[in-house]
Amino acid sequence: SAVISQKPSRDICQRGTSLTIQCQVDSQVTMMFWYRQQPGQSLTLIATANQGSEATYESGFVIDKFPISRPNLTFSTLTVSNMSPEDSSIYLCSVGQVQETQYFGPGTRLLVL
Amino acid sequence: GQNIDQPTEMTATEGAIVQINCTYQTSGFNGLFWYQQHAGEAPTFLSYNVLDGLEEKGRFSSFLSRSKGYSYLLLKELQMKDSASYLCAVNTGGFKTIFGAGTRLFVKA
């Protein structure tokens, strides 16, 4: 399976600011995804990061709040914009492999004060 | 709507067997995943069932009944390191995957 790294691993941010999370994969992958996992809850898909085109967002998530870049097949970024305490969560990137299996990065723990 | 139900918490004893159940109602179904997630870590893939029946992988087995919308994960010879959350997830098409809230398993000595 692919090796996935994320930066930063954690951050504490002030409300109203923005944070960009990076996801790097050690091999070229077609499918990359961004998830959110709020405390004590399961994973919710934010969007599919498409290489060379705009990301595909799930219901309840918009590009202005969560802009995503996917400049190549090994890298993607997720920005959490104009943060509020409700954005405190773990943000995970994942890559799709065979049989629709997903492998997850280590996650970025975000606390917004 | 999309619904995946699994118990919130379970407790079992080291060396024992535990079965974690999952029921689902989704608009599409391609297969069912089980992931393990230790506290503070990312989920890791355990199994993927596409067809009905039991699939065994070492100490872990996963069962699927598509007609009943039901799956279970069976963990044998429990070890302390098996204490984790277990996520049931349904692939509804392509890479679209819906995750359950997870079952927190506590293994006691």
Side-chain angles (χ1 to χ4, degrees), chain B residues 69-99:
Chain B
Y70 169 69
S71 173
Y72 67 73
L73 180 69
L74 193 71
L75 292 77
K76 303 176 190 172
E77 301 169 18
L78 278 174
Q79 302 174 10
M80 299 298 287
K81 67 178 182 180
D82 298 329
S83 293
S85 286
Y86 292 86
L87 310 179
C88 174
V90 172
N91 177 267
T92 58
F95 279 91
K96 187 73 179 284
T97 303
I98 299 167
F99 286 81

Short mmCIF file of all heavy atoms in Angstrom, two decimals, chain B residues 69-99:
data_model
loop_
_atom_site.label_atom_id
_atom_site.label_comp_id
_atom_site.label_asym_id
_atom_site.label_seq_id
_atom_site.Cartn_x
_atom_site.Cartn_y
_atom_site.Cartn_z
N GLY B 69 -28.60 -7.00 4.84
CA GLY B 69 -27.93 -5.74 5.16
C GLY B 69 -27.14 -5.84 6.45
O GLY B 69 -27.20 -4.96 7.31
N TYR B 70 -26.37 -6.90 6.58
CA TYR B 70 -25.75 -7.24 7.86
C TYR B 70 -24.33 -7.75 7.66
O TYR B 70 -24.03 -8.48 6.70
CB TYR B 70 -26.61 -8.31 8.53
CG TYR B 70 -25.99 -8.97 9.74
CD1 TYR B 70 -25.79 -8.26 10.92
CD2 TYR B 70 -25.63 -10.32 9.69
CE1 TYR B 70 -25.24 -8.88 12.03
CE2 TYR B 70 -25.08 -10.94 10.80
CZ TYR B 70 -24.89 -10.22 11.96
OH TYR B 70 -24.34 -10.83 13.06
N SER B 71 -23.47 -7.34 8.56
CA SER B 71 -22.10 -7.83 8.58
C SER B 71 -21.64 -7.95 10.02
O SER B 71 -22.21 -7.32 10.92
CB SER B 71 -21.18 -6.84 7.83
OG SER B 71 -19.82 -7.20 7.96
N TYR B 72 -20.66 -8.78 10.23
CA TYR B 72 -19.98 -8.77 11.53
C TYR B 72 -18.50 -8.99 11.35
O TYR B 72 -18.04 -9.58 10.37
CB TYR B 72 -20.58 -9.79 12.51
CG TYR B 72 -20.40 -11.26 12.18
CD1 TYR B 72 -19.17 -11.90 12.31
CD2 TYR B 72 -21.49 -12.02 11.76
CE1 TYR B 72 -19.02 -13.25 12.01
CE2 TYR B 72 -21.36 -13.37 11.47
CZ TYR B 72 -20.13 -13.97 11.59
OH TYR B 72 -20.00 -15.31 11.30
N LEU B 73 -17.76 -8.48 12.32
CA LEU B 73 -16.32 -8.69 12.41
C LEU B 73 -16.09 -9.56 13.64
O LEU B 73 -16.57 -9.25 14.73
CB LEU B 73 -15.59 -7.36 12.57
CG LEU B 73 -14.08 -7.42 12.68
CD1 LEU B 73 -13.46 -7.86 11.35
CD2 LEU B 73 -13.51 -6.06 13.09
N LEU B 74 -15.38 -10.66 13.45
CA LEU B 74 -15.11 -11.60 14.54
C LEU B 74 -13.62 -11.54 14.87
O LEU B 74 -12.78 -11.70 13.98
CB LEU B 74 -15.49 -13.01 14.10
CG LEU B 74 -15.57 -14.08 15.17
CD1 LEU B 74 -16.79 -13.82 16.06
CD2 LEU B 74 -15.67 -15.46 14.54
N LEU B 75 -13.33 -11.27 16.11
CA LEU B 75 -11.94 -11.23 16.56
C LEU B 75 -11.71 -12.38 17.55
O LEU B 75 -12.39 -12.47 18.57
CB LEU B 75 -11.62 -9.91 17.25
CG LEU B 75 -11.61 -8.63 16.42
CD1 LEU B 75 -13.01 -8.14 16.11
CD2 LEU B 75 -10.81 -7.55 17.12
N LYS B 76 -10.75 -13.23 17.23
CA LYS B 76 -10.47 -14.38 18.09
C LYS B 76 -9.18 -14.13 18.88
O LYS B 76 -8.36 -13.29 18.50
CB LYS B 76 -10.29 -15.63 17.24
CG LYS B 76 -11.46 -15.98 16.36
CD LYS B 76 -11.12 -17.20 15.49
CE LYS B 76 -12.17 -17.41 14.43
NZ LYS B 76 -11.80 -18.46 13.46
N GLU B 77 -9.02 -14.89 19.96
CA GLU B 77 -7.79 -14.84 20.77
C GLU B 77 -7.41 -13.39 21.04
O GLU B 77 -6.29 -12.95 20.73
CB GLU B 77 -6.66 -15.57 20.05
CG GLU B 77 -6.96 -17.03 19.78
CD GLU B 77 -5.93 -17.65 18.82
OE1 GLU B 77 -4.83 -17.09 18.64
OE2 GLU B 77 -6.25 -18.71 18.24
N LEU B 78 -8.35 -12.66 21.62
CA LEU B 78 -8.17 -11.24 21.81
C LEU B 78 -6.87 -10.91 22.55
O LEU B 78 -6.50 -11.58 23.50
CB LEU B 78 -9.34 -10.66 22.58
CG LEU B 78 -10.60 -10.33 21.77
CD1 LEU B 78 -11.73 -9.91 22.69
CD2 LEU B 78 -10.31 -9.24 20.75
N GLN B 79 -6.24 -9.84 22.09
CA GLN B 79 -5.04 -9.33 22.72
C GLN B 79 -5.31 -7.89 23.17
O GLN B 79 -6.18 -7.22 22.62
CB GLN B 79 -3.87 -9.39 21.74
CG GLN B 79 -3.58 -10.79 21.22
CD GLN B 79 -2.51 -10.83 20.14
OE1 GLN B 79 -1.81 -9.84 19.90
NE2 GLN B 79 -2.36 -11.98 19.50
N MET B 80 -4.52 -7.45 24.12
CA MET B 80 -4.71 -6.09 24.63
C MET B 80 -4.59 -5.06 23.50
O MET B 80 -5.31 -4.06 23.47
CB MET B 80 -3.70 -5.78 25.73
CG MET B 80 -3.79 -6.69 26.94
SD MET B 80 -5.39 -6.57 27.77
CE MET B 80 -5.23 -4.99 28.56
N LYS B 81 -3.72 -5.34 22.54
CA LYS B 81 -3.50 -4.39 21.45
C LYS B 81 -4.70 -4.28 20.51
O LYS B 81 -4.74 -3.40 19.65
CB LYS B 81 -2.27 -4.78 20.63
CG LYS B 81 -2.44 -6.09 19.84
CD LYS B 81 -1.20 -6.40 19.01
CE LYS B 81 -1.39 -7.67 18.20
NZ LYS B 81 -0.19 -8.00 17.37
N ASP B 82 -5.69 -5.18 20.68
CA ASP B 82 -6.90 -5.10 19.86
C ASP B 82 -7.86 -4.03 20.37
O ASP B 82 -8.87 -3.75 19.72
CB ASP B 82 -7.61 -6.46 19.83
CG ASP B 82 -6.79 -7.55 19.19
OD1 ASP B 82 -5.99 -7.23 18.29
OD2 ASP B 82 -6.92 -8.72 19.61
N SER B 83 -7.56 -3.44 21.51
CA SER B 83 -8.38 -2.33 22.01
C SER B 83 -8.27 -1.18 21.03
O SER B 83 -7.19 -0.62 20.81
CB SER B 83 -7.89 -1.88 23.39
OG SER B 83 -8.10 -2.87 24.36
N ALA B 84 -9.40 -0.84 20.41
CA ALA B 84 -9.41 0.16 19.35
C ALA B 84 -10.86 0.39 18.95
O ALA B 84 -11.77 -0.28 19.45
CB ALA B 84 -8.61 -0.32 18.13
N SER B 85 -11.06 1.32 18.04
CA SER B 85 -12.38 1.46 17.41
C SER B 85 -12.40 0.68 16.12
O SER B 85 -11.39 0.63 15.40
CB SER B 85 -12.67 2.94 17.12
OG SER B 85 -12.97 3.64 18.29
N TYR B 86 -13.53 0.06 15.84
CA TYR B 86 -13.69 -0.72 14.60
C TYR B 86 -14.81 -0.07 13.79
O TYR B 86 -15.94 0.04 14.25
CB TYR B 86 -13.97 -2.17 14.94
CG TYR B 86 -12.76 -2.82 15.55
CD1 TYR B 86 -12.52 -2.74 16.93
CD2 TYR B 86 -11.81 -3.45 14.76
CE1 TYR B 86 -11.37 -3.27 17.48
CE2 TYR B 86 -10.66 -4.01 15.32
CZ TYR B 86 -10.45 -3.90 16.67
OH TYR B 86 -9.30 -4.43 17.23
N LEU B 87 -14.45 0.35 12.59
CA LEU B 87 -15.36 1.09 11.74
C LEU B 87 -15.91 0.19 10.64
O LEU B 87 -15.14 -0.43 9.90
CB LEU B 87 -14.65 2.29 11.09
CG LEU B 87 -13.86 3.22 11.99
CD1 LEU B 87 -13.20 4.32 11.17
CD2 LEU B 87 -14.75 3.83 13.04
N CYS B 88 -17.21 0.15 10.54
CA CYS B 88 -17.89 -0.53 9.45
C CYS B 88 -18.15 0.52 8.38
O CYS B 88 -18.57 1.65 8.70
CB CYS B 88 -19.20 -1.11 9.99
SG CYS B 88 -20.28 -1.85 8.76
N ALA B 89 -17.88 0.21 7.13
CA ALA B 89 -18.04 1.20 6.07
C ALA B 89 -18.57 0.53 4.81
O ALA B 89 -18.12 -0.57 4.47
CB ALA B 89 -16.71 1.90 5.78
N VAL B 90 -19.47 1.20 4.13
CA VAL B 90 -20.08 0.64 2.92
C VAL B 90 -19.61 1.42 1.71
O VAL B 90 -19.69 2.66 1.68
CB VAL B 90 -21.62 0.68 3.01
CG1 VAL B 90 -22.25 0.28 1.68
CG2 VAL B 90 -22.10 -0.25 4.12
N ASN B 91 -19.13 0.70 0.72
CA ASN B 91 -18.81 1.32 -0.57
C ASN B 91 -20.08 1.34 -1.41
O ASN B 91 -20.65 0.29 -1.71
CB ASN B 91 -17.71 0.52 -1.26
CG ASN B 91 -17.40 1.07 -2.63
OD1 ASN B 91 -17.95 0.63 -3.63
ND2 ASN B 91 -16.55 2.07 -2.67
N THR B 92 -20.53 2.53 -1.77
CA THR B 92 -21.80 2.66 -2.48
C THR B 92 -21.62 2.84 -3.99
O THR B 92 -22.60 2.98 -4.72
CB THR B 92 -22.63 3.82 -1.92
OG1 THR B 92 -21.86 5.04 -2.03
CG2 THR B 92 -22.97 3.60 -0.45
N GLY B 93 -20.36 2.83 -4.42
CA GLY B 93 -20.11 2.97 -5.86
C GLY B 93 -18.83 3.75 -6.08
O GLY B 93 -18.61 4.76 -5.44
N GLY B 94 -17.99 3.29 -6.99
CA GLY B 94 -16.69 3.92 -7.19
C GLY B 94 -15.92 3.89 -5.90
O GLY B 94 -15.82 2.85 -5.26
N PHE B 95 -15.41 5.04 -5.47
CA PHE B 95 -14.72 5.11 -4.19
C PHE B 95 -15.58 5.77 -3.12
O PHE B 95 -15.09 6.09 -2.05
CB PHE B 95 -13.40 5.88 -4.33
CG PHE B 95 -12.30 5.03 -4.88
CD1 PHE B 95 -12.07 4.98 -6.24
CD2 PHE B 95 -11.49 4.29 -4.04
CE1 PHE B 95 -11.05 4.20 -6.76
CE2 PHE B 95 -10.47 3.51 -4.55
CZ PHE B 95 -10.24 3.46 -5.91
N LYS B 96 -16.87 5.96 -3.40
CA LYS B 96 -17.74 6.59 -2.43
C LYS B 96 -17.97 5.64 -1.27
O LYS B 96 -18.56 4.56 -1.45
CB LYS B 96 -19.07 6.97 -3.09
CG LYS B 96 -19.99 7.79 -2.22
CD LYS B 96 -19.50 9.20 -2.08
CE LYS B 96 -20.44 10.04 -1.24
NZ LYS B 96 -21.64 10.42 -1.97
N THR B 97 -17.51 6.00 -0.11
CA THR B 97 -17.58 5.12 1.07
C THR B 97 -18.22 5.86 2.21
O THR B 97 -17.85 6.99 2.52
CB THR B 97 -16.17 4.65 1.47
OG1 THR B 97 -15.57 3.99 0.37
CG2 THR B 97 -16.24 3.70 2.65
N ILE B 98 -19.20 5.22 2.82
CA ILE B 98 -19.88 5.80 3.97
C ILE B 98 -19.46 5.03 5.20
O ILE B 98 -19.54 3.80 5.22
CB ILE B 98 -21.41 5.74 3.79
CG1 ILE B 98 -21.80 6.53 2.55
CG2 ILE B 98 -22.12 6.30 5.01
CD1 ILE B 98 -23.21 6.29 2.11
N PHE B 99 -19.04 5.76 6.24
CA PHE B 99 -18.52 5.13 7.44
C PHE B 99 -19.55 5.16 8.56
O PHE B 99 -20.27 6.15 8.75
CB PHE B 99 -17.26 5.86 7.92
CG PHE B 99 -16.05 5.59 7.08
CD1 PHE B 99 -15.85 6.26 5.88
CD2 PHE B 99 -15.12 4.64 7.48
CE1 PHE B 99 -14.74 5.99 5.10
CE2 PHE B 99 -14.01 4.38 6.71
CZ PHE B 99 -13.81 5.05 5.51
#
